[in-house]
Amino acid sequence: MEGNRDESEKCISIAQKCINAGAYEKALKFLNKAERLYPTQKAKDLLDHVKKLNESTPDDTGGGAEKNDDGVCHRKGSHSREATDSKQTSEPKEKDYTEEQLTAVKRIKKCKDYYEILCVEKDASEADLKKAYRKLALQMHPDKNKAPGATEAFKAVGNAFAVINDPAKRKKYDMFGPEEEQRSTRSQREYDYSHGFEGDISPEELFNMFFGGGFPSGSVYQRRGRHSHSRQHYRFTSRESQSSNDGSATLLLQLAPILLLVILSLLSSFFVSDPVFSLNRTDKYSAQRKTQHLHIPYYVKQDFTSNFAGDLRRIERQVEEEFISNLRQNCWRERSYKENMLWRARNYADAKLYERAQNMETPSCDQLQKIYS
């Protein structure tokens, strides 16, 4: 919806000009469109205002008669209609599209290659294709581009992206190119935006997938010929069978990482042995020992003395390193907490909190200091 905000504001701006010119019906049309694109309070207020103006405007098309200065009777409203008709014939009709939009439509209708339509190279990535489609789809959408042939150009852009973005269809298209010969008789009668290749999704559905249905698109999609129903039915049935096969394959791919983790955890339980020691007493590590250097207590299994055949000094060195590392972490936490409490006490001038922070003990830091001394 956020992408339609600019279009909504443009519609509101046009509606305000129509209100100033007295064209209330046209203003209502643009305000309703602005509400569909991006609802705002400004558009709602203007809608109420225009409706009130419509109700208060007198009906000048009644059947009454009035006299002019010469005493000749004229039907009421005839002068205004004549003036309006003469004004409409004298003033040229204003185009509701720009030359740039018309040129862009003509360029796409002349293109016979999908890569040329999207203005991308043949080795373009998926990101490049999506970027090109977004730009061209917004330019060619019939609700934004009123130039003649904009609907066909919009369909050509959508079909080109649907084919090239599909790896299988893109490979086939790169091999055979547009099938001009098979539709030579048809191309003489009407413009064929598919060039012999059609995507599995209509241009309207593709646009709604990218932009969330920002434009009302009831007039965009039309059937592609008398054989379109059979082609659509074949595509639907083939897609249905393919989707069931793809669904099972996708499910297996999604479950593969979980199954791999379960298998690895089971294997690790068989091959990974228990640690030799623990710094905390547990049911498995219940026999207490102390290191010879720093006299740090640690716990081993009951059968440690009979089963262990390694270097005891290396084990005790690991015990001391792990114990000191734990002390350092605990000491850092204790000091951080104490410093934060002191900062709060100074910041809020709380004497009691400051005294409590000063008296706070840091046992891990004290023990670490004792070891180093």
Side-chain angles (χ1 to χ4, degrees):
M1 288 293 291
E2 193 66 28
N4 299 326
R5 188 170 185 174
D6 293 340
E7 295 296 327
S8 176
E9 291 177 356
K10 287 181 183 178
C11 291
I12 293 173
S13 177
I14 296 172
Q16 287 176 332
K17 292 179 182 178
C18 294
I19 293 171
N20 296 334
Y24 301 133
E25 292 296 330
K26 195 172 181 181
L28 277 174
K29 177 183 175 183
F30 280 100
L31 287 172
N32 285 325
K33 185 175 180 180
E35 275 292 283
R36 290 196 301 270
L37 289 172
Y38 190 87
T40 59
Q41 188 61 39
K42 184 177 180 181
K44 291 178 182 177
D45 295 341
L46 283 173
L47 270 172
D48 295 337
H49 178 61
V50 173
K51 288 176 182 177
K52 289 178 182 178
L53 288 174
N54 260 342
E55 292 172 358
S56 62
T57 303
D59 188 6
D60 293 337
T61 62
E66 56 183 13
K67 289 184 179 182
N68 60 5
D69 295 338
D70 298 332
V72 181
C73 291
H74 295 279
R75 188 172 179 82
K76 188 177 180 181
S78 61
H79 291 293
S80 61
R81 284 198 300 271
E82 290 172 2
T84 304
D85 293 340
S86 62
K87 185 177 180 181
Q88 288 177 350
T89 55
S90 62
E91 292 182 1
K93 187 176 180 182
E94 185 180 355
K95 293 181 180 179
D96 52 358
Y97 60 89
T98 63
E99 288 296 327
E100 184 180 352
Q101 289 177 328
L102 183 60
T103 304
V105 170
K106 289 181 177 179
R107 181 195 72 82
I108 289 178
K109 293 185 74 174
K110 287 180 182 178
C111 294
K112 296 181 180 180
D113 183 78
Y114 285 162
Y115 296 100
E116 187 181 357
I117 290 175
L118 296 175
C119 298
V120 295
E121 300 294 333
K122 286 199 173 183
D123 57 349
S125 63
E126 183 179 357
D128 295 333
L129 293 175
K130 288 181 178 179
K131 184 178 179 181
Y133 172 76
R134 286 192 184 96
K135 180 181 177 182
L136 289 172
L138 285 175
Q139 289 179 356
M140 295 300 136
H141 197 283
D143 286 328
K144 187 174 181 181
N145 189 337
K146 302 293 184 181
T151 301
E152 289 77 11
F154 174 74
K155 292 178 183 179
V157 170
N159 194 67
F161 175 79
V163 171
I164 297 180
N165 197 50
D166 187 313
K169 289 182 179 293
R170 183 175 183 176
K171 184 178 179 181
K172 184 180 177 183
Y173 180 81
D174 290 341
M175 289 176 64
F176 300 105
E179 298 175 359
E180 297 287 340
E181 295 78 14
Q182 296 180 8
R183 57 185 183 82
S184 57
T185 56
R186 180 183 174 184
S187 62
Q188 294 173 1
R189 299 194 305 270
E190 60 180 10
Y191 172 71
D192 180 17
Y193 64 86
S194 67
H195 298 285
F197 285 86
E198 288 186 280
D200 292 332
I201 187 170
S202 71
E204 177 195 24
E205 294 168 340
L206 182 63
F207 184 87
N208 290 337
M209 284 173 59
F210 269 81
F211 301 100
F215 291 101
S217 50
S219 62
V220 176
Y221 181 67
Q222 299 175 351
R223 291 195 178 271
R224 301 176 179 177
R226 62 180 182 178
H227 301 295
S228 61
H229 178 73
S230 60
R231 287 201 303 270
Q232 289 171 0
H233 177 71
Y234 170 74
R235 285 201 301 268
F236 176 76
T237 52
S238 62
R239 261 204 317 271
E240 191 177 32
S241 60
Q242 184 180 357
S243 63
S244 61
N245 295 331
D246 292 345
S248 58
T250 305
L251 183 62
L252 277 175
L253 286 174
Q254 290 175 347
L255 291 176
I258 300 174
L259 294 173
L260 185 62
L261 287 175
V262 171
I263 293 170
L264 287 176
S265 62
L266 290 174
L267 290 175
S268 63
S269 63
F270 289 112
F271 295 107
V272 178
S273 59
D274 293 332
V276 179
F277 66 91
S278 173
L279 294 177
N280 302 309
R281 182 190 293 272
T282 61
D283 293 337
K284 186 181 288 187
Y285 300 91
S286 56
Q288 182 178 359
R289 296 176 64 92
K290 287 187 178 182
T291 61
Q292 294 181 2
H293 180 55
L294 297 177
H295 304 289
I296 295 172
Y298 65 98
Y299 301 89
V300 295
K301 295 179 181 179
Q302 291 291 342
D303 56 353
F304 175 78
T305 305
S306 58
N307 292 338
F308 183 72
D311 187 359
L312 185 60
R313 287 179 298 179
R314 183 176 61 83
I315 297 298
E316 291 186 350
R317 194 159 52 246
Q318 291 178 3
V319 170
E320 292 174 352
E321 288 174 357
E322 186 174 338
F323 181 78
I324 292 174
S325 176
N326 292 339
L327 279 181
R328 284 175 180 167
Q329 292 178 4
N330 294 334
C331 176
W332 181 83
R333 293 194 191 97
E334 291 168 359
R335 283 182 178 174
S336 297
Y337 185 76
K338 185 174 182 178
E339 288 172 1
N340 288 335
M341 188 178 290
L342 288 169
W343 180 85
R344 287 200 303 272
R346 292 192 194 98
N347 192 37
Y348 296 108
D350 191 338
K352 291 183 179 179
L353 182 62
Y354 185 81
E355 184 179 356
R356 195 172 64 187
Q358 286 284 2
N359 296 331
M360 181 178 291
E361 297 181 353
T362 54
S364 298
C365 298
D366 296 339
Q367 191 174 1
L368 191 63
Q369 184 66 28
K370 184 177 179 183
I371 289 174
Y372 285 139
S373 62

